[in-house]
Amino acid sequence: MIIYGVALLSICTLAGISIGQILGHLMGLPANVGGVGIAMILLILISSYLNKKGYIDAKTEQGVEFWSAIYIPVVVAMAATQNVYGALSGGPMAILAGVMAVVVAFALVPVIDRMGSSGDKTSDNASKSTSNL
């Protein structure tokens, strides 16, 4: 059901925001540190795991995909409300954190690509071996 996808998204959002608040508290910052990003990562990991185990049906997947599509504009709107000038005037840490996040994201693109294509190669090899029989 679609409502299960919405429930999964809300659970991931609450967990991500809570973890972000805890990280902010541990860093001594009165802010949420990466809560939305953590929520998105949790949503991807949990929905992928449940999909592999066969616990998510097509309707639930539609709910997750719908909210994933809505999520990106929400993240952009949240980022637009941040005080970028205040962060940059505070020192080089904001620039360093931004550059490191971009570098790590670009470095993970081939890894994620290999993870997604490893299942395709297995099915291709299986179909080739059955066609040779």
Side-chain angles (χ1 to χ4, degrees), residues 35-79:
V36 175
I38 293 169
M40 290 184 75
I41 291 171
L42 284 175
L43 179 64
I44 291 169
L45 293 176
I46 292 173
S47 63
S48 176
Y49 174 77
L50 293 175
N51 199 8
K52 284 182 181 176
K53 293 292 183 182
Y55 295 133
I56 292 181
D57 61 353
K59 289 286 189 180
T60 304
E61 189 68 28
Q62 287 176 352
V64 172
E65 288 176 4
F66 171 75
W67 284 105
S68 296
I70 297 293
Y71 221 51
I72 293 171
V74 170
V75 170
V76 170
M78 290 176 72

mmCIF file of all heavy atoms in Angstrom, residues 35-79:
data_model
loop_
_atom_site.group_PDB
_atom_site.id
_atom_site.type_symbol
_atom_site.label_atom_id
_atom_site.label_comp_id
_atom_site.label_asym_id
_atom_site.label_seq_id
_atom_site.Cartn_x
_atom_site.Cartn_y
_atom_site.Cartn_z
ATOM 1 N N GLY A 35 20.694 16.200 9.120
ATOM 2 C CA GLY A 35 19.521 15.383 9.405
ATOM 3 C C GLY A 35 18.754 14.955 8.172
ATOM 4 O O GLY A 35 18.360 13.790 8.037
ATOM 5 N N VAL A 36 18.555 15.871 7.236
ATOM 6 C CA VAL A 36 17.807 15.538 6.029
ATOM 7 C C VAL A 36 18.602 14.553 5.162
ATOM 8 O O VAL A 36 18.044 13.603 4.619
ATOM 9 C CB VAL A 36 17.459 16.821 5.239
ATOM 10 C CG1 VAL A 36 16.782 16.493 3.934
ATOM 11 C CG2 VAL A 36 16.577 17.716 6.075
ATOM 12 N N GLY A 37 19.890 14.768 5.062
ATOM 13 C CA GLY A 37 20.732 13.842 4.293
ATOM 14 C C GLY A 37 20.757 12.464 4.921
ATOM 15 O O GLY A 37 20.677 11.450 4.217
ATOM 16 N N ILE A 38 20.849 12.415 6.240
ATOM 17 C CA ILE A 38 20.821 11.124 6.929
ATOM 18 C C ILE A 38 19.485 10.436 6.692
ATOM 19 O O ILE A 38 19.425 9.226 6.453
ATOM 20 C CB ILE A 38 21.097 11.322 8.435
ATOM 21 C CG1 ILE A 38 22.536 11.796 8.641
ATOM 22 C CG2 ILE A 38 20.850 10.037 9.217
ATOM 23 C CD1 ILE A 38 22.838 12.272 10.036
ATOM 24 N N ALA A 39 18.408 11.200 6.714
ATOM 25 C CA ALA A 39 17.081 10.629 6.460
ATOM 26 C C ALA A 39 16.993 10.052 5.048
ATOM 27 O O ALA A 39 16.434 8.967 4.842
ATOM 28 C CB ALA A 39 16.013 11.693 6.668
ATOM 29 N N MET A 40 17.551 10.769 4.077
ATOM 30 C CA MET A 40 17.515 10.268 2.695
ATOM 31 C C MET A 40 18.345 8.999 2.559
ATOM 32 O O MET A 40 17.936 8.048 1.871
ATOM 33 C CB MET A 40 18.023 11.348 1.732
ATOM 34 C CG MET A 40 17.073 12.516 1.602
ATOM 35 S SD MET A 40 17.618 13.706 0.392
ATOM 36 C CE MET A 40 17.234 12.829 -1.109
ATOM 37 N N ILE A 41 19.510 8.955 3.205
ATOM 38 C CA ILE A 41 20.345 7.749 3.141
ATOM 39 C C ILE A 41 19.627 6.573 3.802
ATOM 40 O O ILE A 41 19.627 5.459 3.284
ATOM 41 C CB ILE A 41 21.717 8.023 3.785
ATOM 42 C CG1 ILE A 41 22.503 8.992 2.905
ATOM 43 C CG2 ILE A 41 22.493 6.725 3.991
ATOM 44 C CD1 ILE A 41 23.779 9.493 3.533
ATOM 45 N N LEU A 42 19.003 6.826 4.944
ATOM 46 C CA LEU A 42 18.241 5.770 5.608
ATOM 47 C C LEU A 42 17.109 5.270 4.712
ATOM 48 O O LEU A 42 16.866 4.059 4.623
ATOM 49 C CB LEU A 42 17.660 6.285 6.929
ATOM 50 C CG LEU A 42 18.626 6.432 8.091
ATOM 51 C CD1 LEU A 42 17.919 7.069 9.282
ATOM 52 C CD2 LEU A 42 19.187 5.079 8.480
ATOM 53 N N LEU A 43 16.419 6.192 4.052
ATOM 54 C CA LEU A 43 15.315 5.797 3.166
ATOM 55 C C LEU A 43 15.826 4.927 2.023
ATOM 56 O O LEU A 43 15.214 3.905 1.690
ATOM 57 C CB LEU A 43 14.608 7.044 2.617
ATOM 58 C CG LEU A 43 13.452 6.787 1.669
ATOM 59 C CD1 LEU A 43 12.329 6.054 2.387
ATOM 60 C CD2 LEU A 43 12.953 8.091 1.081
ATOM 61 N N ILE A 44 16.936 5.312 1.439
ATOM 62 C CA ILE A 44 17.493 4.522 0.328
ATOM 63 C C ILE A 44 17.919 3.142 0.813
ATOM 64 O O ILE A 44 17.591 2.122 0.197
ATOM 65 C CB ILE A 44 18.685 5.276 -0.301
ATOM 66 C CG1 ILE A 44 18.189 6.521 -1.027
ATOM 67 C CG2 ILE A 44 19.448 4.363 -1.258
ATOM 68 C CD1 ILE A 44 19.292 7.458 -1.444
ATOM 69 N N LEU A 45 18.646 3.091 1.934
ATOM 70 C CA LEU A 45 19.148 1.810 2.422
ATOM 71 C C LEU A 45 18.021 0.881 2.860
ATOM 72 O O LEU A 45 18.004 -0.301 2.507
ATOM 73 C CB LEU A 45 20.127 2.041 3.575
ATOM 74 C CG LEU A 45 21.439 2.729 3.229
ATOM 75 C CD1 LEU A 45 22.268 2.977 4.487
ATOM 76 C CD2 LEU A 45 22.225 1.897 2.236
ATOM 77 N N ILE A 46 17.071 1.417 3.613
ATOM 78 C CA ILE A 46 15.988 0.567 4.124
ATOM 79 C C ILE A 46 15.068 0.111 2.996
ATOM 80 O O ILE A 46 14.689 -1.065 2.940
ATOM 81 C CB ILE A 46 15.205 1.315 5.222
ATOM 82 C CG1 ILE A 46 16.097 1.496 6.455
ATOM 83 C CG2 ILE A 46 13.927 0.568 5.590
ATOM 84 C CD1 ILE A 46 15.498 2.359 7.535
ATOM 85 N N SER A 47 14.719 1.022 2.090
ATOM 86 C CA SER A 47 13.832 0.602 0.988
ATOM 87 C C SER A 47 14.539 -0.387 0.069
ATOM 88 O O SER A 47 13.912 -1.331 -0.430
ATOM 89 C CB SER A 47 13.334 1.819 0.203
ATOM 90 O OG SER A 47 14.407 2.486 -0.410
ATOM 91 N N SER A 48 15.850 -0.219 -0.140
ATOM 92 C CA SER A 48 16.593 -1.183 -0.950
ATOM 93 C C SER A 48 16.637 -2.546 -0.274
ATOM 94 O O SER A 48 16.431 -3.582 -0.920
ATOM 95 C CB SER A 48 18.007 -0.661 -1.200
ATOM 96 O OG SER A 48 18.766 -1.609 -1.890
ATOM 97 N N TYR A 49 16.879 -2.549 1.026
ATOM 98 C CA TYR A 49 16.916 -3.806 1.771
ATOM 99 C C TYR A 49 15.552 -4.505 1.731
ATOM 100 O O TYR A 49 15.472 -5.711 1.467
ATOM 101 C CB TYR A 49 17.330 -3.534 3.222
ATOM 102 C CG TYR A 49 17.262 -4.742 4.105
ATOM 103 C CD1 TYR A 49 18.246 -5.720 4.054
ATOM 104 C CD2 TYR A 49 16.193 -4.923 4.987
ATOM 105 C CE1 TYR A 49 18.172 -6.843 4.862
ATOM 106 C CE2 TYR A 49 16.120 -6.041 5.791
ATOM 107 C CZ TYR A 49 17.114 -6.994 5.729
ATOM 108 O OH TYR A 49 17.029 -8.106 6.524
ATOM 109 N N LEU A 50 14.497 -3.742 1.999
ATOM 110 C CA LEU A 50 13.162 -4.345 2.001
ATOM 111 C C LEU A 50 12.762 -4.813 0.607
ATOM 112 O O LEU A 50 12.066 -5.822 0.464
ATOM 113 C CB LEU A 50 12.141 -3.336 2.544
ATOM 114 C CG LEU A 50 12.291 -2.962 4.013
ATOM 115 C CD1 LEU A 50 11.295 -1.877 4.389
ATOM 116 C CD2 LEU A 50 12.107 -4.189 4.898
ATOM 117 N N ASN A 51 13.207 -4.099 -0.410
ATOM 118 C CA ASN A 51 12.908 -4.497 -1.788
ATOM 119 C C ASN A 51 13.615 -5.795 -2.137
ATOM 120 O O ASN A 51 13.034 -6.675 -2.780
ATOM 121 C CB ASN A 51 13.306 -3.377 -2.736
ATOM 122 C CG ASN A 51 12.623 -3.499 -4.073
ATOM 123 O OD1 ASN A 51 11.744 -4.321 -4.251
ATOM 124 N ND2 ASN A 51 13.032 -2.667 -5.010
ATOM 125 N N LYS A 52 14.887 -5.945 -1.712
ATOM 126 C CA LYS A 52 15.622 -7.184 -1.981
ATOM 127 C C LYS A 52 15.008 -8.365 -1.260
ATOM 128 O O LYS A 52 15.005 -9.479 -1.772
ATOM 129 C CB LYS A 52 17.089 -7.027 -1.560
ATOM 130 C CG LYS A 52 17.902 -6.212 -2.519
ATOM 131 C CD LYS A 52 19.348 -6.149 -2.072
ATOM 132 C CE LYS A 52 20.161 -5.302 -3.030
ATOM 133 N NZ LYS A 52 21.544 -5.150 -2.572
ATOM 134 N N LYS A 53 14.499 -8.131 -0.057
ATOM 135 C CA LYS A 53 13.879 -9.209 0.721
ATOM 136 C C LYS A 53 12.457 -9.514 0.246
ATOM 137 O O LYS A 53 11.866 -10.504 0.677
ATOM 138 C CB LYS A 53 13.854 -8.845 2.211
ATOM 139 C CG LYS A 53 15.226 -8.777 2.838
ATOM 140 C CD LYS A 53 15.858 -10.150 2.906
ATOM 141 C CE LYS A 53 17.195 -10.114 3.602
ATOM 142 N NZ LYS A 53 17.839 -11.415 3.637
ATOM 143 N N GLY A 54 11.914 -8.649 -0.606
ATOM 144 C CA GLY A 54 10.573 -8.878 -1.140
ATOM 145 C C GLY A 54 9.463 -8.411 -0.223
ATOM 146 O O GLY A 54 8.320 -8.821 -0.392
ATOM 147 N N TYR A 55 9.778 -7.534 0.734
ATOM 148 C CA TYR A 55 8.760 -7.040 1.654
ATOM 149 C C TYR A 55 8.000 -5.834 1.114
ATOM 150 O O TYR A 55 7.005 -5.443 1.701
ATOM 151 C CB TYR A 55 9.403 -6.671 2.989
ATOM 152 C CG TYR A 55 9.983 -7.847 3.733
ATOM 153 C CD1 TYR A 55 11.252 -7.786 4.270
ATOM 154 C CD2 TYR A 55 9.250 -9.007 3.899
ATOM 155 C CE1 TYR A 55 11.789 -8.863 4.959
ATOM 156 C CE2 TYR A 55 9.783 -10.081 4.576
ATOM 157 C CZ TYR A 55 11.044 -10.004 5.104
ATOM 158 O OH TYR A 55 11.561 -11.069 5.778
ATOM 159 N N ILE A 56 8.492 -5.229 0.047
ATOM 160 C CA ILE A 56 7.839 -4.047 -0.523
ATOM 161 C C ILE A 56 7.137 -4.463 -1.810
ATOM 162 O O ILE A 56 7.771 -4.987 -2.723
ATOM 163 C CB ILE A 56 8.860 -2.928 -0.803
ATOM 164 C CG1 ILE A 56 9.417 -2.376 0.500
ATOM 165 C CG2 ILE A 56 8.231 -1.817 -1.607
ATOM 166 C CD1 ILE A 56 10.402 -1.250 0.331
ATOM 167 N N ASP A 57 5.841 -4.205 -1.865
ATOM 168 C CA ASP A 57 5.124 -4.477 -3.102
ATOM 169 C C ASP A 57 5.151 -3.229 -3.995
ATOM 170 O O ASP A 57 5.723 -2.202 -3.634
ATOM 171 C CB ASP A 57 3.693 -4.934 -2.816
ATOM 172 C CG ASP A 57 2.894 -3.878 -2.082
ATOM 173 O OD1 ASP A 57 3.477 -2.863 -1.679
ATOM 174 O OD2 ASP A 57 1.674 -4.076 -1.920
ATOM 175 N N ALA A 58 4.548 -3.324 -5.150
ATOM 176 C CA ALA A 58 4.623 -2.228 -6.128
ATOM 177 C C ALA A 58 3.961 -0.960 -5.612
ATOM 178 O O ALA A 58 4.458 0.144 -5.838
ATOM 179 C CB ALA A 58 3.973 -2.666 -7.434
ATOM 180 N N LYS A 59 2.847 -1.095 -4.899
ATOM 181 C CA LYS A 59 2.137 0.091 -4.393
ATOM 182 C C LYS A 59 2.976 0.808 -3.325
ATOM 183 O O LYS A 59 3.025 2.040 -3.298
ATOM 184 C CB LYS A 59 0.786 -0.309 -3.798
ATOM 185 C CG LYS A 59 -0.218 -0.724 -4.822
ATOM 186 C CD LYS A 59 -0.718 0.477 -5.558
ATOM 187 C CE LYS A 59 -1.896 0.092 -6.441
ATOM 188 N NZ LYS A 59 -2.393 1.252 -7.172
ATOM 189 N N THR A 60 3.636 0.063 -2.464
ATOM 190 C CA THR A 60 4.492 0.677 -1.455
ATOM 191 C C THR A 60 5.661 1.374 -2.118
ATOM 192 O O THR A 60 6.048 2.479 -1.733
ATOM 193 C CB THR A 60 4.997 -0.392 -0.471
ATOM 194 O OG1 THR A 60 3.873 -1.052 0.096
ATOM 195 C CG2 THR A 60 5.834 0.216 0.628
ATOM 196 N N GLU A 61 6.238 0.749 -3.129
ATOM 197 C CA GLU A 61 7.342 1.353 -3.867
ATOM 198 C C GLU A 61 6.904 2.647 -4.532
ATOM 199 O O GLU A 61 7.658 3.608 -4.578
ATOM 200 C CB GLU A 61 7.861 0.361 -4.910
ATOM 201 C CG GLU A 61 9.130 0.802 -5.585
ATOM 202 C CD GLU A 61 10.338 0.813 -4.641
ATOM 203 O OE1 GLU A 61 10.348 0.026 -3.674
ATOM 204 O OE2 GLU A 61 11.243 1.618 -4.866
ATOM 205 N N GLN A 62 5.642 2.693 -5.010
ATOM 206 C CA GLN A 62 5.129 3.928 -5.598
ATOM 207 C C GLN A 62 5.062 5.045 -4.553
ATOM 208 O O GLN A 62 5.352 6.201 -4.853
ATOM 209 C CB GLN A 62 3.736 3.701 -6.190
ATOM 210 C CG GLN A 62 3.739 2.910 -7.469
ATOM 211 C CD GLN A 62 2.342 2.639 -7.963
ATOM 212 O OE1 GLN A 62 1.354 2.913 -7.290
ATOM 213 N NE2 GLN A 62 2.247 2.074 -9.149
ATOM 214 N N GLY A 63 4.682 4.694 -3.327
ATOM 215 C CA GLY A 63 4.638 5.695 -2.257
ATOM 216 C C GLY A 63 6.014 6.242 -1.946
ATOM 217 O O GLY A 63 6.200 7.446 -1.775
ATOM 218 N N VAL A 64 7.004 5.353 -1.904
ATOM 219 C CA VAL A 64 8.380 5.794 -1.633
ATOM 220 C C VAL A 64 8.883 6.662 -2.777
ATOM 221 O O VAL A 64 9.497 7.718 -2.556
ATOM 222 C CB VAL A 64 9.293 4.578 -1.411
ATOM 223 C CG1 VAL A 64 10.748 4.999 -1.327
ATOM 224 C CG2 VAL A 64 8.895 3.831 -0.141
ATOM 225 N N GLU A 65 8.608 6.245 -4.021
ATOM 226 C CA GLU A 65 9.075 7.027 -5.176
ATOM 227 C C GLU A 65 8.407 8.394 -5.237
ATOM 228 O O GLU A 65 9.054 9.392 -5.574
ATOM 229 C CB GLU A 65 8.799 6.256 -6.468
ATOM 230 C CG GLU A 65 9.716 5.066 -6.639
ATOM 231 C CD GLU A 65 9.387 4.249 -7.867
ATOM 232 O OE1 GLU A 65 8.480 4.647 -8.632
ATOM 233 O OE2 GLU A 65 10.023 3.207 -8.060
ATOM 234 N N PHE A 66 7.118 8.441 -4.903
ATOM 235 C CA PHE A 66 6.415 9.731 -4.918
ATOM 236 C C PHE A 66 7.056 10.696 -3.933
ATOM 237 O O PHE A 66 7.374 11.837 -4.274
ATOM 238 C CB PHE A 66 4.937 9.535 -4.576
ATOM 239 C CG PHE A 66 4.201 10.819 -4.361
ATOM 240 C CD1 PHE A 66 3.860 11.617 -5.440
ATOM 241 C CD2 PHE A 66 3.859 11.250 -3.084
ATOM 242 C CE1 PHE A 66 3.190 12.815 -5.251
ATOM 243 C CE2 PHE A 66 3.197 12.439 -2.885
ATOM 244 C CZ PHE A 66 2.856 13.221 -3.972
ATOM 245 N N TRP A 67 7.280 10.243 -2.718
ATOM 246 C CA TRP A 67 7.845 11.134 -1.721
ATOM 247 C C TRP A 67 9.314 11.421 -1.979
ATOM 248 O O TRP A 67 9.815 12.474 -1.603
ATOM 249 C CB TRP A 67 7.623 10.592 -0.317
ATOM 250 C CG TRP A 67 6.198 10.816 0.076
ATOM 251 C CD1 TRP A 67 5.210 9.880 0.142
ATOM 252 C CD2 TRP A 67 5.579 12.065 0.382
ATOM 253 N NE1 TRP A 67 4.028 10.465 0.483
ATOM 254 C CE2 TRP A 67 4.225 11.811 0.639
ATOM 255 C CE3 TRP A 67 6.039 13.363 0.464
ATOM 256 C CZ2 TRP A 67 3.329 12.818 0.973
ATOM 257 C CZ3 TRP A 67 5.144 14.366 0.802
ATOM 258 C CH2 TRP A 67 3.811 14.087 1.053
ATOM 259 N N SER A 68 10.016 10.499 -2.623
ATOM 260 C CA SER A 68 11.397 10.779 -3.007
ATOM 261 C C SER A 68 11.437 11.917 -4.019
ATOM 262 O O SER A 68 12.321 12.765 -3.980
ATOM 263 C CB SER A 68 12.050 9.537 -3.597
ATOM 264 O OG SER A 68 12.143 8.529 -2.635
ATOM 265 N N ALA A 69 10.474 11.933 -4.939
ATOM 266 C CA ALA A 69 10.416 13.007 -5.933
ATOM 267 C C ALA A 69 10.072 14.343 -5.277
ATOM 268 O O ALA A 69 10.552 15.395 -5.691
ATOM 269 C CB ALA A 69 9.394 12.670 -7.013
ATOM 270 N N ILE A 70 9.254 14.306 -4.252
ATOM 271 C CA ILE A 70 8.884 15.529 -3.542
ATOM 272 C C ILE A 70 10.029 16.000 -2.641
ATOM 273 O O ILE A 70 10.178 17.183 -2.368
ATOM 274 C CB ILE A 70 7.606 15.281 -2.698
ATOM 275 C CG1 ILE A 70 6.434 14.948 -3.610
ATOM 276 C CG2 ILE A 70 7.272 16.455 -1.802
ATOM 277 C CD1 ILE A 70 5.994 16.089 -4.486
ATOM 278 N N TYR A 71 10.855 15.076 -2.215
ATOM 279 C CA TYR A 71 11.896 15.350 -1.235
ATOM 280 C C TYR A 71 12.947 16.337 -1.753
ATOM 281 O O TYR A 71 13.410 17.187 -1.005
ATOM 282 C CB TYR A 71 12.575 14.036 -0.868
ATOM 283 C CG TYR A 71 12.888 13.865 0.587
ATOM 284 C CD1 TYR A 71 11.928 14.069 1.564
ATOM 285 C CD2 TYR A 71 14.146 13.483 0.990
ATOM 286 C CE1 TYR A 71 12.209 13.896 2.891
ATOM 287 C CE2 TYR A 71 14.433 13.293 2.326
ATOM 288 C CZ TYR A 71 13.461 13.506 3.270
ATOM 289 O OH TYR A 71 13.756 13.341 4.576
ATOM 290 N N ILE A 72 13.327 16.217 -3.003
ATOM 291 C CA ILE A 72 14.393 17.062 -3.549
ATOM 292 C C ILE A 72 14.027 18.542 -3.480
ATOM 293 O O ILE A 72 14.824 19.354 -2.998
ATOM 294 C CB ILE A 72 14.768 16.615 -4.972
ATOM 295 C CG1 ILE A 72 15.413 15.227 -4.896
ATOM 296 C CG2 ILE A 72 15.713 17.605 -5.627
ATOM 297 C CD1 ILE A 72 15.638 14.574 -6.232
ATOM 298 N N PRO A 73 12.821 18.962 -3.916
ATOM 299 C CA PRO A 73 12.487 20.388 -3.745
ATOM 300 C C PRO A 73 12.445 20.820 -2.288
ATOM 301 O O PRO A 73 12.783 21.954 -1.962
ATOM 302 C CB PRO A 73 11.099 20.510 -4.391
ATOM 303 C CG PRO A 73 10.999 19.363 -5.307
ATOM 304 C CD PRO A 73 11.820 18.262 -4.722
ATOM 305 N N VAL A 74 12.065 19.898 -1.400
ATOM 306 C CA VAL A 74 12.051 20.241 0.025
ATOM 307 C C VAL A 74 13.477 20.490 0.519
ATOM 308 O O VAL A 74 13.736 21.451 1.248
ATOM 309 C CB VAL A 74 11.373 19.121 0.843
ATOM 310 C CG1 VAL A 74 11.560 19.330 2.328
ATOM 311 C CG2 VAL A 74 9.894 19.039 0.510
ATOM 312 N N VAL A 75 14.411 19.651 0.094
ATOM 313 C CA VAL A 75 15.805 19.821 0.500
ATOM 314 C C VAL A 75 16.366 21.133 -0.049
ATOM 315 O O VAL A 75 17.066 21.861 0.656
ATOM 316 C CB VAL A 75 16.654 18.616 0.035
ATOM 317 C CG1 VAL A 75 18.127 18.888 0.217
ATOM 318 C CG2 VAL A 75 16.248 17.368 0.792
ATOM 319 N N VAL A 76 16.035 21.448 -1.291
ATOM 320 C CA VAL A 76 16.508 22.706 -1.880
ATOM 321 C C VAL A 76 15.926 23.891 -1.118
ATOM 322 O O VAL A 76 16.628 24.868 -0.823
ATOM 323 C CB VAL A 76 16.139 22.768 -3.383
ATOM 324 C CG1 VAL A 76 16.402 24.144 -3.954
ATOM 325 C CG2 VAL A 76 16.917 21.713 -4.150
ATOM 326 N N ALA A 77 14.652 23.811 -0.752
ATOM 327 C CA ALA A 77 14.026 24.902 0.006
ATOM 328 C C ALA A 77 14.663 25.038 1.382
ATOM 329 O O ALA A 77 14.884 26.151 1.868
ATOM 330 C CB ALA A 77 12.527 24.648 0.131
ATOM 331 N N MET A 78 14.978 23.898 2.016
ATOM 332 C CA MET A 78 15.629 23.961 3.324
ATOM 333 C C MET A 78 17.028 24.549 3.212
ATOM 334 O O MET A 78 17.457 25.322 4.077
ATOM 335 C CB MET A 78 15.693 22.571 3.949
ATOM 336 C CG MET A 78 14.350 22.048 4.384
ATOM 337 S SD MET A 78 14.445 20.378 5.001
ATOM 338 C CE MET A 78 15.249 20.638 6.554
ATOM 339 N N ALA A 79 17.745 24.179 2.155
ATOM 340 C CA ALA A 79 19.093 24.712 1.972
ATOM 341 C C ALA A 79 19.053 26.213 1.693
ATOM 342 O O ALA A 79 19.967 26.945 2.078
ATOM 343 C CB ALA A 79 19.800 23.986 0.836
#
